[in-house]
Amino acid sequence: AVAARPPRRRRRAPGLLARAPARRRRAADGAESAEVKKRPPSEKRAPTTMPLESTILCLDTSEYMRNGDFAPSRMESQQDAANLVVGAKMQQNPENTVGVLTMATVGTGAGARVLASPTDDMGKILSSLHDAPVGGRLNFVEGVQVAQLALKHRRNKNGGQRVVLFVGSPVEAEAKALVKVGKGLKKNNIAVDVVVLGEHDGNGDKLKEFVDAANSNDSSNLIAIPAGVVPSDVLISSPVIQGRSDGGGGGGEA
């Protein structure tokens, strides 16, 4: 008698065994992605763009700026700080403009002189900062008046106006004259920042009166930097660089 053969098992194709785990993985991945889609999207903050502003940097280029109480000198420390301010203004709004003037010159017609009218040309601004000559005596009041005139004739009349003054020499003008000039800035919606490098004893009270007279809605600032400290390190965390979300100076034409 012929022995009965055992029933043959149907063998699954290898591909089917491999596909089953793959299907399960895909199903799990699909469920996970669906869960992710259901989650509320995380809120990403857009880069903060400050309001449009035109700024005039007023440099103290008197003989006092040769002093070495700020390494390597007051003048070079002032230039580094001014470079920082320019970079910050340009980053805050691509349409911002910056101008440069000196508040001390020598020779015939000595006084404040505009090196660069308000512009967005970074190369021109930095070149004027680097080429500013040292010599003569500081004429603070004239510097403010010329800065106000330069802002009046700026190309883009929109946005705020600001004057940033670097002072490293004794301010010879009386407090009364400074207050008068400060009130003129406030009247024309021009904010002001004063950065003092040395000479604090003689300048402190007068410059505070000037800033107070120009101040409107806390848009103006007085920053006194002690000798031996790097001015840029102080300014980077100050309102001069950080600015204000409401734009500081007003948009009225000077």
Side-chain angles (χ1 to χ4, degrees), residues 177-192:
L178 297 181
V179 169
K180 182 179 179 181
V181 174
K183 288 181 178 179
L185 293 176
K186 183 177 181 179
K187 180 181 178 181
N188 289 291
N189 296 316
I190 302 176
V192 64

Side-chain angles (χ1 to χ4, degrees), residues 18 35 40 58 71 106 119 127 129 132 140 172 183 190 225 232 240 251:
E35 184 180 352
C58 299
V106 294
T119 178
S127 177
L129 290 174
F140 184 87
E172 298 177 355
K183 288 181 178 179
I190 302 176
I225 302 177
S232 299
V240 177

Side-chain angles (χ1 to χ4, degrees), residues 140-141 143-149 151 161-165 178-194 210-211 213-216 219-220 249-250 252-254:
F140 184 87
V141 172
V144 174
Q145 292 171 337
V146 173
Q148 185 172 337
L149 191 62
L151 286 171
Q161 305 171 85
R162 182 173 295 275
V163 177
V164 180
L165 298 122
L178 297 181
V179 169
K180 182 179 179 181
V181 174
K183 288 181 178 179
L185 293 176
K186 183 177 181 179
K187 180 181 178 181
N188 289 291
N189 296 316
I190 302 176
V192 64
D193 295 320
V194 179
F210 166 73
V211 172
N215 191 30
S216 176
S219 62
S220 300
E253 181 179 345

